[in-house]
Amino acid sequence: MDLWILLGKYFILGLIQGISEPIPISSSGHLIIAQDLFKLGVEDLSFEVVVNTASLLAVILVYRKDIVRLFTSTISYISKREESTKDDFKLVIYLIIGTIPAALLGLLFNDFIGEHLKSTFTVGIALLFTAFSLFFIRNLKGTKNRHAMTWKEALLVGLGQAVALIPGVSRSGATVVTAMLIGLKRDTALMFSFLLYIPVSLGASVLELPDMLKQDFSSDMLIAYSLAFIASLVASYFALKWFIDVMKKGKLIYFAIYCLLIAIITLFLL
């Protein structure tokens, strides 16, 4: 394959991953659609690891202050039992609890999902589900902040994240929808959603890293992967900043309409 075509292919896929990962339109679904529509097949799993790691880094950059605060507060509470850090410590525990469903179901059904659910038809149906879910909660504002959360509510949001293992079900959409259905405020729902993304994404990358390192990449492929990584990182960062602004304004209806349109195109034209 001509080098420029190769670079263009991986740049486009990295860009699609980066834009669609933070916002509730399903990055996995859009990658499947793009690969089918433009014949941009990527067979090896290492590509997904690369672009997902880039999106993960973007999320960490955006929420770096919250991450540092939670880390220092947790250390402080464990070592000194300072009451002022108790709420942050509880939030860390809730994030661990919320991570369990997706981590467990991912380990059990990852192969099944890869073999049977990565089709445009599945993506189309799942995007319909995402669209109706976003439409249903479009006007909810919530009353609970993170201090009022319980471990049961964290588990419910984690179950929402587990549903998003199905390609076409948006991870950010599923977690935000679940969080708002249980009464969390928009900013709390968004923060918890993306903090919850970090351990799951990090764990998936670490598990796949040994197999990735065994592969023999040509210099052209290393350049292509680097380009995809940069495209995904930059696009994820700005897409997430934009999504935070959209959530503040309560404009989830835009994403619901978009997912509905893409679902119809996927089911009837692809």
Side-chain angles (χ1 to χ4, degrees):
M1 182 183 294
D2 181 83
L3 177 59
W4 290 109
I5 296 176
L6 179 72
L7 295 181
K9 166 185 170 180
Y10 278 82
F11 175 78
I12 291 171
L13 292 176
L15 202 60
I16 291 171
Q17 158 67 25
I19 294 171
S20 58
E21 177 60 55
I23 62 180
I25 61 173
S26 177
S27 60
S28 59
H30 274 70
L31 284 176
I32 290 171
I33 293 170
Q35 291 181 57
D36 184 80
L37 186 61
F38 301 110
K39 309 304 177 187
L40 298 174
V42 176
E43 299 299 328
D44 56 293
L45 188 62
S46 56
F47 172 76
E48 293 184 23
V49 176
V50 168
V51 292
N52 278 314
T53 301
S55 292
L56 169 63
L57 182 57
V59 172
I60 291 173
L61 286 172
V62 172
Y63 284 98
R64 60 190 182 279
K65 292 181 180 178
D66 293 296
I67 294 169
V68 171
R69 188 194 74 246
L70 290 174
F71 178 78
T72 55
S73 292
T74 298
I75 297 299
S76 179
Y77 185 77
I78 292 174
S79 60
K80 302 176 184 178
R81 287 295 190 273
E82 292 184 1
E83 193 64 25
S84 61
T85 60
K86 184 176 181 179
D87 283 340
D88 282 340
F89 173 74
K90 285 171 59 179
L91 184 59
V92 171
I93 298 301
Y94 293 163
L95 288 169
I96 294 171
I97 292 172
T99 300
I100 294 172
L104 185 59
L105 293 178
L107 288 172
L108 292 175
F109 297 106
N110 188 55
D111 291 340
F112 175 83
I113 292 170
E115 293 173 10
H116 300 287
L117 297 183
K118 287 193 173 183
S119 67
T120 52
F121 177 77
T122 301
V123 169
I125 296 297
L127 281 171
L128 279 178
F129 173 78
T130 297
F132 288 124
S133 298
L134 291 171
F135 181 80
F136 184 77
I137 58 99
R138 69 193 184 282
N139 293 323
L140 295 181
K141 295 182 179 179
T143 57
K144 299 179 183 177
N145 58 26
R146 64 187 183 89
H147 304 293
M149 280 188 70
T150 68
W151 71 267
K152 293 180 181 178
E153 291 169 339
L155 184 61
L156 286 173
V157 179
L159 289 171
Q161 181 166 251
V163 174
L165 291 171
I166 301 171
V169 177
S170 165
R171 191 215 63 84
S172 60
T175 49
V176 166
V177 166
T178 306
M180 293 183 69
L181 282 175
I182 61 176
L184 295 184
K185 293 181 178 179
R186 289 171 182 164
D187 59 341
T188 302
L190 193 63
M191 180 194 68
F192 192 77
S193 169
F194 283 100
L195 290 179
L196 199 60
Y197 167 74
I198 294 172
V200 168
S201 180
L202 183 61
S205 297
V206 169
L207 287 175
E208 298 296 341
L209 187 60
D211 290 335
M212 182 177 172
L213 293 176
K214 292 177 184 177
Q215 298 184 41
D216 185 21
F217 295 105
S218 65
S219 58
D220 287 353
M221 286 303 300
L222 288 174
I223 295 172
Y225 271 41
S226 298
L227 187 60
F229 180 90
I230 294 170
S232 181
L233 172 63
V234 175
S236 292
Y237 180 85
F238 287 105
L240 177 51
K241 299 286 280 188
W242 175 59
F243 184 37
I244 292 172
D245 186 60
V246 171
M247 279 289 289
K248 288 178 181 178
K249 297 176 181 177
K251 301 295 184 180
L252 286 174
I253 185 66
Y254 297 150
F255 299 116
I257 294 171
Y258 175 83
C259 287
L260 179 61
L261 291 175
I262 297 299
I264 292 172
I265 292 171
T266 302
L267 290 172
F268 295 102
L269 297 179
L270 294 184

